Amino acid sequence: MQEAAGVLKEGFLVKRGHIVRNWKVRWFVLLQDKLLYYKIEGGKKEPHPKGRILLDGCTITCPCLEYENRPLLIKLKTKTNTDYFLECCSREERDSWALDITGAIHAGHPVQVQELHKMKKSFKLLENISLHHIVEKMYDNSTGIKLTRNLEQGNRYKETFTGSALVDWLISHSFAVSRFEAVTLASMLMEENFIKPVGARSTEAMRYSDLSEQFLDDSTALYMFAEKSNKNISSKEELQFNIAELSGTIVKQGFLVKQGHKRKNWKVRKFVLRTDPAFLHYYDPTKEENRPVGGFSLRGCLVSALEDNGVPAGVKGNVQGNLFKIITKNDIHYYIQASSKAERTQWIEAIKPLT
């Protein structure tokens, strides 16, 4: 997340997907002629961009009001009529991005764009495909995926299906036309927590960062519906926050990367700092529900920067750096990454007076 030569602007934005219309947080880098976006894995930006938006001939719409529950959108339409929807964390951030992107579009240096004509590795699924619809069909008693007992390395698993069985099922029900497409679609079902790997074979594949390698078209790789996991997640999401703690004045907000308490994985969250009363809440920016997934009172908290030389105790993964820690009065430790040292300092200075 460090600045690079020729970079006009960089930071987190929430992007709508092209194949499945879901929303994902990506790290965007604005150059003179293109906008690159990267996946964040394990708290670190991947070395190669996941995609690029070529700005030559682009038109920009801001504000974009096409999504009622996402009022902070920028819409980019490329000269090949591809639409990109990018969501910011605040109106100020949205207007800043829109101004800088507009400046890059009209910089007066049109480039010869050969990348547009390169063969794309991606494929097109059915228009407006719904993962929920696929899962409903998978559950159908007569035509759905067959659930069986399976044995792997001496362990018995109930109500499972193999990777190759799901690929066959997706093709036979016309959700995909090739095994490659079906594997990618199955990976999306897994990434969105509709299905989950069980057993050593399929769980091992999850260590790959490339989405296309996470799901195995294999008769020995086992999977099952993740409805129990979803129930646990929904019960967490239904956690009711006290109205009073959400009534304070917002003094700072932005995207930060937070380490989870149980799985110790890193997720981008939208943090909102409020005063009177002083609370720090965090939201899942990919969801439309405008309610926190967590938060805590700042009264009695300790906040401090963590050194960037080496990985501090309590921190897991190959992190980017710019870490700081908040310890609540109940001795709960929150590890958070900012995108730069300057941003880390700004957050610490904003939080300290409220503790």
Side-chain angles (χ1 to χ4, degrees):
M1 298 180 204
Q2 288 79 15
E3 292 188 11
V7 173
L8 302 178
K9 188 181 185 68
E10 58 183 329
F12 287 116
L13 295 171
V14 186
K15 176 185 169 292
R16 192 194 74 173
H18 285 293
I19 299 172
V20 179
R21 299 297 169 84
N22 54 2
W23 299 81
K24 297 287 185 186
V25 180
R26 298 288 182 242
W27 180 260
F28 279 78
V29 177
L30 177 62
L31 304 177
Q32 194 67 60
D33 60 344
K34 64 176 76 74
L35 191 57
L36 306 177
Y37 53 94
Y38 297 77
K39 281 184 72 174
I40 301 294
E41 287 292 336
K44 189 171 185 178
K45 184 185 82 172
E46 290 194 336
H48 303 293
K50 185 173 176 62
R52 66 195 69 220
I53 304 170
L54 300 169
L55 297 178
D56 181 31
C58 237
T59 58
I60 182 169
T61 303
C62 179
C64 171
L65 305 177
E66 292 190 27
Y67 286 84
E68 184 179 348
N69 294 325
R70 295 183 182 274
L72 302 176
L73 283 178
I74 296 169
K75 179 182 178 181
L76 295 176
K77 183 183 282 290
T78 68
K79 68 179 182 182
T80 56
N81 289 322
T82 302
D83 291 338
Y84 290 88
F85 292 89
L86 311 176
E87 186 179 31
C88 304
C89 66
S90 67
R91 280 176 171 78
E92 294 78 12
E93 190 74 7
R94 179 196 65 188
D95 294 344
S96 174
W97 270 103
L99 185 65
D100 288 339
I101 293 171
T102 302
I105 291 173
H106 300 296
H109 301 289
V111 294
Q112 294 296 321
V113 184
Q114 298 174 345
E115 295 164 78
L116 284 171
H117 308 293
K118 289 181 179 177
M119 280 296 290
K120 292 184 178 179
K121 292 182 180 179
S122 60
F123 60 89
K124 291 188 177 180
L125 294 170
L126 298 175
E127 190 68 28
N128 297 323
I129 194 164
S130 165
L131 294 183
H132 289 277
H133 174 66
I134 294 174
V135 174
E136 283 179 14
K137 293 291 186 183
M138 288 173 67
Y139 271 110
D140 189 283
N141 288 330
S142 57
T143 60
I145 189 90
K146 300 303 179 192
L147 303 178
T148 59
R149 292 170 180 261
N150 281 285
L151 184 69
E152 186 197 53
Q153 295 184 352
N155 295 315
R156 292 185 181 277
Y157 298 97
K158 296 180 180 179
E159 297 189 323
T160 59
F161 47 87
T162 67
S164 56
L166 178 55
V167 169
D168 292 342
W169 185 89
L170 289 167
I171 294 172
S172 66
H173 285 75
S174 302
F175 289 116
V177 296
S178 70
R179 299 195 80 80
F180 173 75
E181 290 184 9
V183 166
T184 307
L185 186 52
S187 298
M188 292 172 182
L189 289 169
M190 190 165 61
E191 189 176 47
E192 295 304 310
N193 205 35
F194 288 111
I195 64 173
K196 64 178 182 181
V198 289
R201 183 87 173 85
S202 57
T203 304
E204 176 70 20
M206 288 293 288
R207 295 185 180 181
Y208 290 107
S209 60
D210 187 351
L211 180 65
S212 64
E213 294 177 317
Q214 289 185 354
F215 183 88
L216 299 177
D217 179 7
D218 193 306
S219 60
T220 65
L222 302 181
Y223 299 88
M224 68 185 299
F225 288 115
E227 58 174 341
K228 290 183 181 179
S229 300
N230 283 340
K231 284 178 181 176
N232 291 337
I233 290 168
S234 63
S235 66
K236 281 183 190 174
E237 289 176 347
E238 287 161 11
L239 181 64
Q240 293 299 310
F241 286 87
N242 188 314
I243 293 174
E245 70 183 66
L246 293 171
S247 63
T249 303
I250 295 176
V251 293
K252 188 171 180 59
Q253 56 186 325
F255 294 126
L256 296 168
V257 189
K258 174 186 166 293
Q259 181 177 268
H261 287 295
K262 292 183 178 178
R263 292 183 60 194
K264 305 298 182 186
N265 55 352
W266 292 87
K267 297 285 187 183
V268 179
R269 295 291 182 244
K270 177 182 175 179
F271 279 78
V272 178
L273 179 63
R274 293 179 172 89
T275 184
D276 300 324
F279 273 85
L280 185 62
H281 292 99
Y282 49 95
Y283 300 72
D284 184 343
T286 67
K287 308 297 183 189
E288 290 192 358
E289 302 88 28
N290 189 29
R291 56 184 175 185
V293 294
F296 50 91
S297 169
L298 290 173
R299 190 180 297 276
C301 282
L302 297 173
V303 57
S304 61
L306 295 175
E307 294 298 328
D308 288 337
N309 51 345
V311 179
V315 173
K316 303 290 185 182
N318 186 15
V319 296
Q320 197 84 33
N322 306 311
L323 285 158
F324 64 100
K325 178 169 69 170
I326 302 174
I327 305 175
T328 70
K329 65 179 180 181
N330 298 324
D331 200 36
I332 299 173
H333 293 225
Y334 290 87
Y335 295 96
I336 301 167
Q337 287 187 76
S339 58
S340 67
K341 286 187 177 181
E343 186 184 42
R344 174 175 68 180
T345 300
Q346 291 167 9
W347 273 100
I348 291 173
E349 289 180 350
I351 292 169
K352 268 187 176 177
L354 303 179
T355 61

